[in-house]
Amino acid sequence: MFKHLLRTLLLLCAVVSLAACSSDSDAPEAQAQTTLNLGLRVVPEHIQVSEYKYFTVSFKELNTGFTVIQELTNTSSLKTVLPTGTYNISVEGSIIFGDNSTLTEAKVSGVQTGVVINGTEQTKIIDISLKAGKSSDLILEEIFFAGTTTPQGAMYFGDQYFKITNNTDKTLYADGMLLIQSAFMTNEKQDYSPSIMGSTFSAGAIIRIPGNGTTYPVLPGSSIIIAEDAINHKEFNPSSIDLSHADFQIFKEDSDDINNPAVIKMTNVFEKMVIHTQGYYAYALARMPAGMTNDALVNQNSYTYTYNLTFGGDVYPMDGTAVKIPNEWITDAVNLSVQDSFQWLVTSPSLDMGWTSVTSFDGDKNRFGKAVRRKAVGKTAEGKNILKDTNNSTVDFDHGVKPSLFN
């Protein structure tokens, strides 16, 4: 069905309505014509699309900031003229799918980065997938991954932490929540096989909050802190913070790690979580199906991926092991990177259509002592922040800000 649908899409003559065109700088004089055909990668694959209602397609040239936004109605194909350059293309819209008896309208989205428009007419297919709905679970409010520096200028990074918040109006329980680090890096795009990002998140490290289901309540608007090292870091670095009262700590049992007996240890499920001081990974929160054990998660979902690493003109076959986390288990995901070295999102755009950072270039020493923090869009009646959560980290987060736990 999908292959037939995609062939049909490629033959469509589009009627395109130009909705808006804006530019941060003058567009280059050289023009190239490109034909963009949108194809839907259905998750799950048996979904039948009956109508493509509308789409907003954004083209942003990475060097100049030149931006074009176009809208489509009742079609999934467009033809547009763009200046030569390298573009990020993002798509958001709505489809209707299902059989004749039951039809459902759903939001869809897609992103393709680093698309080169080179002066000749081109055809591009952008995969679009079902967009995750508004989260009714815990979300990542703040990630402090950059660490700090000592007064002598030395790097200090045991003070990294995750702040996880209940953005709903009901009490939730942190018990069993997975904190996941991606297997792949946002600054290193490879042609990984199998290609399963449309339906799963590839985990390189997984830790889990313990509990019996009702051990760790999180009230509406309240947060929990997961610390890399749950100690008073000010005793070792006056420029740091006191994490000795964190709710949970990351403890690598088979290494020479710091243990605070007063702080609950996260359960290590798969590999060791090592937080990179420049980001470079995506992080996600997820809940396993009721009754699934840690061992079952790993045993049933581990897989081997392969890719070819090109270095110095030579090609080296590579492989690795990750754990597949179905996208429907994930309650929140955030892609992290560095502005100048970002290459791709390592999640499906249905989980996160954007990315955030603390710095513009690799090795920037100004990154220390800065975090990414989700924007507040209002207050509850109790005075708690209502956090922005559109599944687009580019617009949801303030980047390079002072961490909330720093005085």
Side-chain angles (χ1 to χ4, degrees):
M1 177 63 188
F2 174 63
K3 291 181 179 179
H4 175 72
L5 174 62
L6 188 54
R7 285 195 297 269
T8 302
L9 295 178
L10 293 171
L11 295 174
L12 283 174
C13 292
V15 177
V16 178
S17 171
L18 181 63
C21 180
S22 62
S23 173
D24 296 329
S25 62
D26 292 335
E29 293 183 1
Q31 297 288 308
Q33 181 169 286
T34 179
T35 300
L36 173 66
N37 293 279
L38 304 181
L40 178 65
R41 179 166 65 182
V42 179
V43 181
E45 293 182 356
H46 65 266
I47 289 179
Q48 301 179 27
V49 178
S50 62
E51 181 181 350
Y52 291 83
K53 294 195 66 176
Y54 68 87
F55 294 100
T56 299
V57 186
S58 175
F59 304 84
K60 183 174 182 180
E61 207 286 317
L62 302 183
N63 298 304
T64 65
F66 174 75
T67 301
V68 173
I69 300 174
Q70 294 187 320
E71 289 186 355
L72 294 81
T73 303
N74 298 322
T75 182
S76 58
S77 181
L78 69 83
K79 187 174 184 178
T80 187
V81 177
L82 294 170
T84 57
T86 303
Y87 288 79
N88 283 352
I89 305 173
S90 61
V91 182
E92 291 192 84
S94 178
I95 63 168
I96 293 177
F97 68 93
D99 55 32
N100 292 331
S101 60
T102 304
L103 294 176
T104 302
E105 182 172 351
K107 303 293 184 182
V108 293
S109 61
V111 175
Q112 188 165 333
T113 59
V115 178
V116 177
I117 304 300
N118 58 16
T120 59
E121 184 168 327
Q122 298 169 250
T123 297
K124 298 291 182 183
I125 297 177
I126 308 296
D127 288 333
I128 54 178
S129 54
L130 297 178
K131 193 170 183 178
K134 181 174 175 61
S135 175
S136 58
D137 211 319
L138 301 174
I139 61 174
L140 289 156
E141 176 181 352
E142 181 180 342
I143 306 176
F144 176 55
F145 56 87
T148 53
T149 56
T150 67
Q152 294 76 33
M155 291 177 57
Y156 186 91
F157 48 86
D159 48 7
Q160 299 159 311
Y161 67 82
F162 298 86
K163 185 177 183 180
I164 296 170
T165 300
N166 180 356
N167 202 35
T168 76
D169 59 0
K170 61 183 179 180
T171 298
L172 301 173
Y173 293 89
D175 305 50
M177 179 67 76
L178 302 178
L179 175 59
I180 308 163
Q181 184 182 72
S182 62
F184 309 139
M185 303 177 74
T186 58
N187 68 324
E188 184 181 329
K189 186 175 182 179
Q190 301 289 351
D191 185 15
Y192 295 106
S193 180
S195 177
I196 56 176
M197 197 177 293
S199 59
T200 62
F201 182 99
S202 293
I206 307 171
I207 55 179
R208 183 182 184 184
I209 297 175
N212 61 18
T214 57
T215 308
Y216 305 112
V218 185
L219 299 178
S222 296
S223 305
I224 58 174
I225 301 296
I226 300 176
E228 168 63 26
D229 291 327
I231 61 173
N232 184 358
H233 294 276
K234 290 184 176 181
E235 295 179 358
F236 305 94
N237 178 13
S239 303
S240 190
I241 52 175
D242 183 1
L243 288 175
S244 62
H245 301 292
D247 299 282
F248 302 95
Q249 63 179 324
I250 301 173
F251 182 71
K252 305 168 185 68
E253 296 176 353
D254 58 348
S255 61
D256 187 19
D257 206 356
I258 296 174
N259 175 32
N260 181 349
V263 177
I264 301 157
K265 295 185 183 71
M266 295 288 289
T267 301
N268 295 304
V269 178
F270 178 71
E271 298 297 345
K272 297 178 183 178
M273 183 173 290
V274 179
I275 305 168
H276 201 291
T277 64
Q278 296 194 122
Y280 291 155
Y281 292 93
Y283 291 90
L285 299 175
R287 291 194 187 272
M288 296 188 296
M292 175 172 278
T293 65
N294 298 336
D295 288 342
L297 170 68
V298 174
N299 293 336
Q300 295 173 19
N301 294 281
S302 292
Y303 79 105
T304 298
Y305 58 85
T306 61
Y307 64 100
N308 290 325
L309 176 66
T310 302
F311 182 77
D314 295 321
V315 177
Y316 302 91
M318 307 291 288
D319 62 53
T321 300
V323 174
K324 298 180 291 186
I325 306 295
N327 286 346
E328 57 265 28
W329 294 7
I330 294 176
T331 69
D332 193 31
V334 179
N335 282 270
L336 302 176
S337 198
V338 172
Q339 292 178 31
D340 286 354
S341 58
F342 170 78
Q343 293 189 20
W344 68 323
L345 300 177
V346 293
T347 67
S348 165
S350 66
L351 301 176
D352 190 7
M353 278 197 68
W355 56 279
T356 186
S357 66
V358 298
T359 187
S360 59
F361 61 91
D362 291 313
D364 183 4
K365 294 181 180 179
N366 290 322
R367 74 184 186 274
F368 298 113
K370 295 179 181 178
V372 297
R373 185 167 65 247
R374 199 176 289 270
K375 298 174 182 176
V377 294
K379 295 281 189 181
T380 66
E382 294 75 26
K384 298 286 189 178
N385 283 335
I386 300 172
L387 303 175
K388 189 169 186 177
D389 183 17
T390 67
N391 293 342
N392 185 338
S393 292
T394 302
V395 299
D396 288 349
F397 281 79
D398 288 320
H399 63 273
V401 298
K402 183 178 180 179
S404 61
L405 298 189
F406 281 63
N407 296 325

